[in-house]
Amino acid sequence: MAKTKGMAGAFFALSTFIIGGLMTFTGLGLIAFMKYKDLMGLGEGRSIGILLVCVGLIASILGVLVMRIVNNRI
């Protein structure tokens, strides 16, 4: 049971870290290339890019913290 619990935590941590990195670099791309263009009616590309960078960095930090907790606790 402990291995399954540890694997689930490790999978969650790694996937959160990877998704956060993808969101960060996607946001940087939106900031650089879609400055004043509308993005499918959702808003300006730059503002959505800034949002993705912030959320991506938070997700990456969360992934690293969960990795540390899983490594130390289980």
Side-chain angles (χ1 to χ4, degrees):
M1 184 69 175
K3 280 190 172 188
T4 306
K5 193 173 172 185
M7 285 298 288
F11 180 74
F12 172 72
L14 189 62
S15 62
T16 305
F17 183 71
I18 291 172
I19 289 171
L22 289 174
M23 288 174 68
T24 301
F25 285 109
T26 302
L28 288 174
L30 284 174
I31 291 170
F33 299 118
M34 300 286 287
K35 257 189 185 167
Y36 300 109
K37 297 178 185 170
D38 188 41
L39 193 68
M40 297 181 293
L42 296 173
E44 191 177 292
R46 184 173 174 246
S47 61
I48 295 173
I50 291 171
L51 175 71
L52 283 176
V53 167
C54 294
V55 172
L57 289 175
I58 290 171
S60 293
I61 292 169
L62 177 69
V64 170
L65 289 175
V66 171
M67 279 185 220
R68 298 284 299 182
I69 291 170
V70 167
N71 190 21
N72 290 331
R73 300 280 184 222
I74 298 173

